[in-house]
Amino acid sequence: MMSPRWALVTETSSRYLLHARLLRRAAPGWTALCLLATTASAAAKTLALLTTGRLVGELPAVLREGADGAAADRAWTWLWWTAVAFVASPVFMGLADAMAQRVSARYLETTFDMLLEVGTHPYGVAPFDDPKLTGRIDGLHQAMRDWTFVMGVDSTWVVVSTRLAGVGALVVVSTWSWWVGLVLMVGYLLMSKVVTTWINTFYDDLLDVTGNARRQATYLRRLLTDGATGKEVRLFGLSSHLLDRFQATWMSAMALVWRNRSRTVGPVVAVLSVAFVLNAGAFALLAHDAVGGAVSLGALATLAQGLLALESFGPMGDPQSALARNTAAARELVAVRRLVGLPVLPDDRVRLGGMRIGPRPRHPVREHCGLAPDRGPAQPAATVELDDVTFTYPARSEPAFRNLSLRIPAGQSVAVVGVNGAGKSTLIKLLCGLYPADSGTVRVAGADPAADPRARARVAVIFQDFVHYHLSLRDNVGFGAVGRLDDERALASALTDAGGGALLARLPQDWDTVLSPEYAAGTDLSGGQWQRVALARAFAAIRGGAGVLVLDEPTAALDVRAEAALFDRFLEVTRGLTTILVSHRLSSVRHADRIVVLDPGHAGNGAIVEDGSHEELMALGGEYAAMFALQASRFNAAGADREELAR
């Protein structure tokens, strides 16, 4: 079994090896050039040790012989080489810094791509039901946006150059005493290891342990500073309360970090003391040999500098701290990638870091991440089939569905209704492939949407909580068929079909107007306008090749008349396609070809209890008829009240 100390050494080494792999993956050529330049800079530092010592060694002879003697000529030669060495070191380091900017840019692109891949793999959303995982991803976002992450990449070459300079100093000191140099090197390496472990513990705690608590603290801070929440915070007098909550949450989150940091500071103080004793002993021994004549004046100057330069094996302050922060984030990134089933590094075929690493597939990132390819030309309606499906959410013990079967022929419009918790939205998520079934089969156009991107490309959904993209109107409509974003005729047709034709004329920059007041020349939309934009997105999907269109209660914020008009418009425009409408308001979906009633049942498992047209279900006098009569009575009562008020 591996000892704890050896485990620490292995852990640190694995971080640096991972860092090296990332550098090589991001920019192999520039990384090699940076390494060459830093090696040259370290060699120049070692040369400066030697030439300085030889220069000092010639000075007594120069004083004896005068400026015209041979010693003076040798001194001038060594002075020239010393100047060359002192100039060459920063010049090579400057070249490394310049090339490091290319490496850093490629490194950031690569690691950000790797993090984005976590968000898109697998296609389903089941992993993100785990708050611990989402907290870790959020912590990674924050860590990789921090300036120390970038500085850590740039600091790589400072650390490498310094360590290589230490190797040169060790060789120089070994010409006098092999064991003194080794003892000092080991002492400095021990100090560096202890300090690095101390720093790594701090950063690992920030990423691993305090992620959720810091996330909560960040949210509370945002409530206090965000304009969107400012009205209620002031109206209800929440400022002091939220400030106290923020302080308590932040202090609780950081308590473990501070406690671990304090507990591990003892070894740091101990190794610093040991290093001081070792250095004092080495210089005392050198002084003894110099006084005894065993070491010349020139050698004394060189060895004294060499002993001081062995500090290059020790901790290096900000560069080492930044590199530790970077490697901690990279380690966490790899851990999260493994957690969702991704390899340490992406496949070589994927386009990463802004450069092509091997043959590029037609849709590199989308296909690699399991995303649906861009929809092509319009395709015929698709058949939807669920056969004996059982499904359980990851965080629950009871199935949401048990042995559910449903078949929707191509071209049919179906309304899915039922009480809250019956499984309407769950059914839609299964059709989208966002979750795989526990057992049974889900098929769209004969393929499984949880496994086949082509099946997913046939389904377009507008959810109740559809996204208000803080992007242009072009994007908000065109994302339904992202491959046709530049086809303004198709976009305009979709917007007109959604009843939003007049909206375009009101926007200051037409299709390129950003739909958010947070941006210059941007604008916000009313709730009804957003509904039309979302519906236009669905219509754009029709033109992009979707064969099944779903409205999952996206009109819940509208009044019943507006929702009914919108659904009628939707059914008219999509006639001949497979459409699924989900709504609590039964009057809005009565014109669908078919109505399916879901009920959670006694065990809480969603099941189809009724299936037929509006007229058939009303004649049946069952669950649907009872719900419809109840809603109709409320609308009739509301209408009578309005008439009474009008009198």
Side-chain angles (χ1 to χ4, degrees), residues 148-203:
T148 55
F149 185 78
V150 182
M151 182 182 174
V153 185
D154 295 336
S155 297
T156 300
W157 313 111
V158 177
V159 173
V160 170
S161 179
T162 304
R163 293 289 192 244
L164 290 176
V167 173
L170 177 63
V171 173
V172 170
V173 172
S174 297
T175 60
W176 162 60
S177 173
W178 65 268
W179 64 269
V180 170
L182 286 177
V183 168
L184 282 178
M185 181 191 71
V186 171
Y188 277 121
L189 287 175
L190 178 62
M191 182 197 305
S192 180
K193 175 58 191 171
V194 172
V195 172
T196 301
T197 301
W198 184 54
I199 295 172
N200 285 345
T201 299
F202 174 68
Y203 289 132

Side-chain angles (χ1 to χ4, degrees), residues 121-122 127 335-344:
H121 178 92
V336 171
R337 286 177 62 84
R338 285 173 170 163
L339 195 62
V340 299
L342 284 169
V344 172

Side-chain angles (χ1 to χ4, degrees), residues 469-638:
Y469 292 103
H470 290 189
L471 299 170
S472 67
L473 174 64
R474 180 191 307 277
D475 291 329
N476 273 277
V477 174
F479 278 179
V482 70
R484 307 180 69 179
L485 280 172
D486 295 328
D487 188 349
E488 292 189 2
R489 178 177 296 180
L491 298 182
S493 177
L495 192 59
T496 300
D497 286 344
L503 174 63
L504 185 61
R506 300 186 189 134
L507 297 179
Q509 297 181 15
D510 299 326
W511 287 107
D512 295 319
T513 302
V514 177
L515 302 186
S516 170
E518 298 179 9
Y519 297 86
T523 186
D524 201 1
L525 303 180
S526 67
Q529 289 172 326
W530 271 116
Q531 299 285 353
R532 287 169 174 77
V533 169
L535 187 59
R537 196 181 305 157
F539 291 153
I542 296 175
R543 291 161 176 79
V548 178
L549 269 78
V550 184
L551 293 189
D552 184 15
E553 300 198 70
T555 58
L558 299 181
D559 61 62
V560 64
R561 288 185 177 85
E563 182 185 57
L566 188 147
F567 276 151
D568 287 345
R569 178 70 171 170
F570 179 79
L571 289 172
E572 177 186 347
V573 173
T574 60
R575 193 173 306 279
L577 290 174
T578 307
T579 56
I580 301 174
L581 311 177
V582 178
S583 177
H584 282 92
R585 295 169 178 166
L586 305 185
S587 60
S588 299
V589 298
R590 59 184 297 177
H591 299 303
D593 297 337
R594 178 179 166 199
I595 297 172
V596 173
V597 182
L598 289 177
D599 187 87
H602 299 294
N605 308 140
I608 297 175
V609 294
E610 294 178 10
D611 186 348
S613 67
H614 170 76
E615 292 75 14
E616 291 171 343
L617 296 184
M618 291 299 293
L620 184 64
E623 184 76 19
Y624 176 82
M627 290 190 296
F628 189 89
L630 177 62
Q631 289 189 6
S633 66
R634 290 176 178 172
F635 293 134
N636 291 334

Side-chain angles (χ1 to χ4, degrees), residues 440-465:
T441 58
V442 179
R443 296 289 183 266
V444 175
D448 183 1
D452 192 336
R454 292 170 298 179
R456 293 196 288 269
R458 302 302 310 281
V459 183
V461 183
I462 301 298
F463 293 100
Q464 178 177 352
D465 54 347

Side-chain angles (χ1 to χ4, degrees), residues 325-489:
R325 180 68 178 264
N326 178 279
T327 56
R331 166 185 170 273
E332 175 69 357
L333 175 59
V334 167
V336 171
R337 286 177 62 84
R338 285 173 170 163
L339 195 62
V340 299
L342 284 169
V344 172
L345 296 177
D347 193 294
D348 283 346
R349 293 172 299 172
V350 180
R351 186 182 178 89
L352 285 174
M355 56 185 177
R356 189 174 299 174
I357 313 175
R360 182 186 181 190
R362 183 179 178 184
H363 301 285
V365 175
R366 294 181 63 84
E367 292 181 2
H368 178 75
C369 298
L371 300 179
D374 295 337
R375 298 180 175 96
Q379 299 183 35
T383 301
V384 173
E385 297 174 291
L386 291 88
D387 184 22
D388 202 28
V389 170
T390 297
F391 169 72
T392 308
Y393 281 102
R396 300 179 188 174
S397 56
E398 284 295 322
F401 289 128
R402 192 191 299 273
N403 307 121
L404 178 74
S405 294
L406 172 66
R407 186 178 188 279
I408 303 175
Q412 190 176 68
S413 62
V414 175
V416 180
V417 301
V419 299
N420 287 335
K424 301 185 295 296
S425 293
T426 302
L427 175 64
I428 303 308
K429 292 173 184 176
L430 291 173
L431 290 180
C432 296
L434 295 175
Y435 291 94
D438 300 343
S439 61
T441 58
V442 179
R443 296 289 183 266
V444 175
D448 183 1
D452 192 336
R454 292 170 298 179
R456 293 196 288 269
R458 302 302 310 281
V459 183
V461 183
I462 301 298
F463 293 100
Q464 178 177 352
D465 54 347
F466 63 85
V467 179
H468 297 196
Y469 292 103
H470 290 189
L471 299 170
S472 67
L473 174 64
R474 180 191 307 277
D475 291 329
N476 273 277
V477 174
F479 278 179
V482 70
R484 307 180 69 179
L485 280 172
D486 295 328
D487 188 349
E488 292 189 2
R489 178 177 296 180

Side-chain angles (χ1 to χ4, degrees), residues 43-66:
K45 290 179 181 179
T46 303
L47 178 63
L49 295 182
L50 299 172
T51 58
T52 303
R54 297 301 296 267
L55 175 62
V56 171
E58 295 293 343
L59 292 180
V62 171
L63 293 176
R64 289 195 306 269
E65 299 176 8

